[in-house]
Amino acid sequence: MTEPINPFPIHGYFGPELFCDREDEKDALIEAIRNGRNVTLFAPRRIGKSALIQHTFHFLKPRWSCIYIDVQEASSFKDFSNLFLTGLLNGVKNRKPLFKKVQEWLLSFRPVLSTNPHTGSFEVEVDFKSNSQQQASIKSAFSLLDELGPAVIAMDEFQHIHSWDDGIAVEAWLRAEIQHLKNVRFIFSGSQFHLLSEMFQSAKRPFFASTQSIRISKINPDIYRAFISRMFKENNKTIETSDIDSILEWSDGNTYNIQLLCNRVFSKTKKKADSSMINESIVEIYTENRLSYFALRNSMSKYQWQVLSAIAIEGKMYAPTAKDFLKKYDLGAGPSVLRALEYLLSRELVYQYFLDNGDKYYQVYDIILMRWLQKK
Ligand SMILES: Nc1ncnc2c1ncn2[C@@H]1O[C@H](COP(=O)(O)OP(=O)(O)O)[C@@H](O)[C@H]1O
Ligand SMILES: [Mg+2]
């Protein structure tokens, strides 16, 4: 990708200079991969899984072929197979001898090859005629990589495989193919903890006990503070610690929201950032999202919206059926709240977080929506 003008990109990965921390997580990933262990990477959305995968690839690339597939982009095994071939070709494109071999191998499938004008990446499209043809091509790609190795394949948002009709069967098939590869390692990442953990930790499921799990959480605020300050300084601008703190506070430590707000504040700053720029940026963000929040409100019952708002105002909600909570927000009976909560969880509007001591709490998933509901 090309260099961004703003040091706080909100999409993609732009190299280690613009990447904050994740040293331990990156080292853990590299250590697992170098030692032949496949990894599952868990975290809620927008904490930084995909960026961490790219960051890790950056350090592995000199020796490893690094292949990235966003499983969310695939709505079927056929899509997945094409994404895989696309990821494969892009993953080896900077390694000339390998690239040639992969390209030759690929030609036998009569693909339509194109280049994305925005990213410069290749796109591969094969008109597969059957599942078995798809399986055969992926299997053959795995063997090719195993021969040419070492390679690492990241399947991002892997739990999405379950949205396909034949997802479970594909999962089992993949497991069988993966286990005897010697030079190919896998990273399975996902945001839907319950789905992914069931796939990887349930004894009945094909991936049981086959991977090391790594969880990532919010970036340490002290490290983020120093990083933000440095990004401003390196661009001949300044920002006071108290202003950085209010950015981190509003963002609730969520990586995407921190980047989003810093990106705005940075672009408004000539020499020195101040709190009015932060406030203006927040208002802009609300304005841009307002319509979709109104649509969201119309997509559910009044009561469900009321429960969502109550959780937002609480910030962290520990006990959905506690008397105080029900009374404070006029929510009626406990079982009704539980039903609404289940609905909000299933729509990923609310997320269930676990503390180290096993306690759990609920929070509105989208921090911008949470802040917007809080101020109303
Ligand atoms: N360590 C980091 N430093 C700076 N920006 C980051 C970092 N991690 C993630 N980001 C940014 O935050 C946004 C969300 O990260 P992403 O990797 O897409 O999250 P996830 O895959 O967990 O949903 C991305 O736009 C990315 O640019
Ligand atoms: Mg992601």
Side-chain angles (χ1 to χ4, degrees), residues 72-88:
Q72 265 182 135
E73 285 179 28
S75 53
S76 63
F77 186 33
K78 183 176 177 176
D79 282 352
F80 173 84
S81 305
N82 275 308
L83 279 176
F84 179 72
L85 297 181
T86 298
L88 172 61

Side-chain angles (χ1 to χ4, degrees), residues 192 194 295-308 311 335-351 362 365:
Q192 278 168 301
H194 61 287
L296 182 68
R297 187 177 65 194
N298 291 333
S299 73
M300 65 180 79
S301 75
K302 232 175 157 170
Y303 183 75
Q304 287 161 341
W305 183 255
Q306 199 183 336
V307 173
L308 182 68
I311 296 171
S336 315
V337 172
L338 291 180
R339 264 195 308 279
L341 184 59
E342 202 173 309
Y343 169 82
L344 296 169
L345 285 166
S346 76
R347 283 194 64 184
E348 291 198 10
L349 293 166
V350 169
Y351 197 84
Y362 301 89
Y365 207 161

Side-chain angles (χ1 to χ4, degrees), residues 21-263:
D21 194 34
R22 295 290 188 218
E23 284 299 308
D24 293 347
E25 295 89 337
K26 177 202 77 186
D27 290 346
L29 271 165
I30 290 181
E31 210 252 343
I33 287 161
R34 287 213 174 116
N35 289 284
R37 305 191 299 268
N38 295 334
V39 175
T40 29
L41 187 63
F42 291 116
R45 274 185 215 291
R46 293 179 156 183
I47 280 289
K49 294 176 298 300
S50 305
L52 175 61
I53 292 171
Q54 298 301 339
H55 187 60
T56 306
F57 278 7
H58 176 89
F59 293 93
L60 287 170
K61 258 176 194 163
R63 257 191 34 81
W64 292 65
S65 304
C66 296
I67 294 152
Y68 175 84
I69 306 151
D70 184 353
V71 182
Q72 265 182 135
E73 285 179 28
S75 53
S76 63
F77 186 33
K78 183 176 177 176
D79 282 352
F80 173 84
S81 305
N82 275 308
L83 279 176
F84 179 72
L85 297 181
T86 298
L88 172 61
L89 196 60
N90 288 307
V92 298
K93 75 176 173 195
N94 295 324
R95 321 182 74 202
K96 283 275 144 41
L98 263 176
F99 180 66
K100 245 183 126 231
K101 283 198 178 123
V102 170
Q103 211 180 15
E104 275 163 21
W105 170 85
L106 195 59
L107 288 177
S108 67
F109 298 102
R110 306 208 197 162
V112 178
L113 289 177
S114 53
T115 331
N116 182 319
H118 302 298
T119 59
S121 303
F122 292 108
E123 280 175 15
V124 181
E125 178 93 44
V126 173
D127 187 18
F128 289 109
K129 297 284 184 254
S130 65
N131 258 5
S132 57
Q133 206 188 9
Q134 286 151 209
Q135 285 184 352
S137 69
I138 293 179
K139 193 174 164 159
S140 142
F142 283 167
S143 325
L144 182 71
L145 282 172
D146 209 25
E147 202 179 292
L148 304 174
V152 51
I153 302 177
M155 299 199 181
D156 203 359
E157 298 298 347
F158 186 60
Q159 81 279 336
H160 189 82
I161 201 171
H162 282 174
S163 66
W164 315 340
D165 293 339
D166 53 356
I168 300 261
V170 175
E171 181 195 329
W173 172 78
L174 264 178
R175 166 76 178 113
E177 294 304 327
I178 281 169
Q179 61 188 355
H180 51 254
L181 298 172
K182 294 192 175 60
N183 290 315
V184 188
R185 299 279 69 88
F186 288 81
I187 300 172
F188 300 98
S189 96
S191 313
Q192 278 168 301
F193 182 73
H194 61 287
L195 282 180
L196 210 60
S197 70
E198 199 180 297
M199 288 169 86
F200 288 93
Q201 276 148 29
S202 148
K204 287 199 279 311
R205 300 296 284 271
F207 279 103
F208 176 63
S210 62
T211 66
Q212 171 183 348
S213 53
I214 297 180
R215 261 197 203 229
I216 63 170
S217 48
K218 296 172 185 175
I219 293 173
N220 178 326
D222 292 332
I223 298 180
Y224 226 138
R225 210 176 279 122
F227 174 81
I228 295 170
S229 169
R230 183 161 61 79
M231 289 298 115
F232 272 76
K233 259 191 211 130
E234 281 176 4
N235 289 279
N236 303 317
K237 303 186 188 196
T238 55
I239 180 164
E240 275 179 23
T241 310
S242 58
D243 287 327
I244 299 179
D245 282 344
S246 62
I247 292 176
L248 296 179
E249 216 276 316
W250 181 83
S251 310
D252 194 43
N254 178 282
T255 317
Y256 171 77
N257 291 292
I258 296 172
Q259 292 289 119
L260 180 68
L261 195 46
C262 284
N263 179 291

Side-chain angles (χ1 to χ4, degrees), residues 261-314:
L261 195 46
C262 284
N263 179 291
R264 301 278 169 130
V265 175
F266 180 89
S267 74
K268 290 188 197 304
T269 306
K270 295 238 156 43
K271 280 259 157 262
K272 184 172 183 302
D274 62 45
S275 58
S276 71
M277 295 171 191
I278 299 176
N279 294 333
E280 269 170 45
S281 303
I282 292 175
V283 170
E284 274 172 26
I285 294 169
Y286 288 150
T287 310
E288 285 158 26
N289 284 285
R290 223 178 44 182
L291 282 181
S292 67
Y293 294 156
F294 288 146
L296 182 68
R297 187 177 65 194
N298 291 333
S299 73
M300 65 180 79
S301 75
K302 232 175 157 170
Y303 183 75
Q304 287 161 341
W305 183 255
Q306 199 183 336
V307 173
L308 182 68
S309 306
I311 296 171
I313 295 164
E314 285 294 289

